[in-house]
Amino acid sequence: MKAKDQFDPTIFVIFGGAGDLTWRKLVPALFDLSQDRSMPTNFSVIVVDRIDLSDEKLRNRLRDGVKKFSRYGIVKTSEWSDFAKHIHYQKGDFKKLQTYRALGEQCTKLEKEWGAKARRIFYMATPPSMFGEIPKYLGSAGLAQDREWSQLVVEKPIGYDLESALALNTILAANFEESQIFRIDHYLGKETVQNILAFRFANPLFEPIWNRRYVDFVTITVAETVGVEHRGGYYEHAGALRDMVQNHLMQLLCLVAMEPMVSFEADEIRNKKVDVLHAVRPIHKDEVHQCVVRGQYGNGWIDGKRVPGYREEEGVSPVSQTETFVALKLFIDNWRWQGIPFYLRTGKRLQRQASEIMIQFRGVPHQSFPPEATLDWQSSRLVMSIQPDEGIILRFQAKYPGSMMHLRSVDMQFNYNDAFAVQSPDAYETLLWDIMKNDATLFMRADQVEAAWRLLKPVLEIWSEAPPSDFPNYSAGSWGPEAVQGLLAAGHSWPLPTVLREHCKKRDRKEKKTST
């Protein structure tokens, strides 16, 4: 059976579909799925927006996005024509009921043409201000009544703080059941993020030592070399804590720290993730400065080019107090992790792009080797690289060749590209595929979103009461403000992110030298 035969007829309705997200991510992902024969035989993409646009003009614009962002590269005219005939445009005001009634009529018309009931996926690719409006109109127009066949997709941010997240979730729940709501965090669609579960629970080697007895500390790094680019207006009201920590980093923390699941059912996995957030030690307001560091980048050099500071970026106030860097020290109060620090950091304009998780293991309980053999001793560590390269590196001690006993750290490496020789799908491909399958495993549930906001609420309150006086406090091209070193316990350090491509080059050079 082909993958496309597994799916019901599907109608993708993209509100705000004339915007950047649809052009850059959604339609390229849907096109790639169609090339993989992973789309239903009968499907339609209905783009709803406020501007004047014909089907032809919309298709031409979207084709440019597919040419640029599809993992297939060159797009053949015949392939695009076969896909583009499924794309239609509907002009409409998001705050007028008539828009939704017309949409319902269009969906009913398609179902009659296909002779089958269709799954209706309503995707809000709009500014966050519309997240609370569109569901109400969908409910009023009767488009949310079919609990089995209607689904709502919400992009981040889910709220601006705890109160707004609670308010938004209340609106969503008033019109859709939780099982119909898919809150997207595109990080969860990345292959290596999903592979955390496979690595931990499909192998008997590491889970027995994945605990406080053998682990010294854990670091989670999401570093970017880019600035805010064209998102200055949005970022001024968000900042790194809201934009990255509340969702991406918390998701990674949950996957690393969660308990083994009984089954691979969506709610079973999401229950375990929520348990982690409930177990994170609360950050009291009088302790915020001891366990959280914020920063803002000034001008500097990246890849040999001088880049402006945050306050010089387009759409940013020249006296902005928005953070572009956050580092936290968290503890998880349960039997598995009691007393083990989890260090999280994320920032823009850092020295290197890298998203990775590092598990630092404790040293051996008794050192039996002579001192001269262990001058280069380093405790074992496991690194899971999420981007720009996907893979896993295990660092351990081995004897250096020679007559003397001398130990040196070596790396054992798994690289996705080398191991499978296939291109990983884009995160949005994975997530859209799961939505069509009605599989919510990789999507955030309301209680998880609220638990993350609840944890960070004291930080936001303290920051609003005491604006920073030292911004900008790190140069572009560095690893953030110097104050991050104060978060670390004695003997701990922030690891330099690993780049698998550099490891591959070193390995290839060694192999070439050996063969000659």
Side-chain angles (χ1 to χ4, degrees), residues 128-147:
S129 59
M130 296 307 303
F131 290 175
E133 298 294 329
I134 292 173
K136 290 189 289 188
Y137 283 99
L138 287 170
S140 298
L143 296 177
Q145 291 178 351
D146 196 325
R147 305 302 188 188

Side-chain angles (χ1 to χ4, degrees), residues 284-300:
H284 298 293
K285 294 180 71 172
D286 58 353
E287 298 173 344
V288 167
H289 297 300
Q290 301 171 28
C291 55
V292 185
V293 170
R294 57 179 162 170
Q296 185 189 92
Y297 66 84
N299 56 46

Side-chain angles (χ1 to χ4, degrees), residues 141-285:
L143 296 177
Q145 291 178 351
D146 196 325
R147 305 302 188 188
E148 184 179 350
W149 292 84
S150 298
Q151 296 158 281
L152 181 71
V153 185
V154 189
E155 278 278 347
K156 78 173 183 74
I158 311 298
Y160 182 78
D161 50 21
L162 176 59
E163 288 71 25
S164 58
L166 289 169
L168 176 57
N169 282 336
T170 299
I171 293 173
L172 297 179
N175 297 281
F176 290 84
E177 290 184 355
E178 183 63 33
S179 61
Q180 295 177 274
I181 303 170
F182 290 74
R183 298 173 184 82
I184 275 196
D185 182 344
H186 72 270
Y187 252 61
L188 292 182
K190 295 180 181 295
E191 286 290 335
T192 316
V193 173
Q194 298 177 67
N195 202 51
I196 296 173
L197 293 179
F199 181 83
R200 286 189 58 190
F201 303 128
N203 301 291
L205 299 177
F206 289 98
E207 187 58 25
I209 60 171
W210 207 266
N211 56 57
R212 62 188 300 272
R213 183 176 179 184
Y214 296 98
V215 174
D216 192 13
F217 64 96
V218 178
T219 65
I220 300 175
T221 297
V222 178
E224 301 176 279
T225 56
V226 298
V228 293
E229 298 177 304
H230 59 285
R231 301 171 66 224
Y234 160 76
Y235 204 86
E236 269 289 84
H237 299 284
L241 192 74
R242 293 183 172 94
D243 189 51
M244 296 294 290
V245 176
Q246 187 274 336
N247 39 72
H248 298 336
L249 272 73
M250 287 299 165
Q251 292 291 327
L252 296 178
L253 173 68
C254 290
L255 289 170
V256 172
M258 64 183 276
E259 294 298 317
M261 59 275 188
V262 174
S263 69
F264 210 72
E265 295 294 324
D267 273 335
E268 168 67 9
I269 293 175
R270 298 198 289 182
N271 287 343
K272 299 299 184 185
K273 291 164 68 176
V274 172
D275 286 345
V276 173
L277 293 177
H278 289 165
V280 174
R281 186 179 302 170
I283 303 173
H284 298 293
K285 294 180 71 172

Side-chain angles (χ1 to χ4, degrees), residues 108 146 240 409 471:
T108 301
D146 196 325
S409 295
F471 279 6

Side-chain angles (χ1 to χ4, degrees), residues 353-372:
Q353 180 194 7
S355 295
E356 69 175 37
I357 299 161
M358 192 273 291
I359 312 294
Q360 180 71 47
F361 294 101
R362 296 186 186 276
V364 295
H366 172 65
Q367 185 57 268
S368 56
F369 295 94
E372 59 271 18

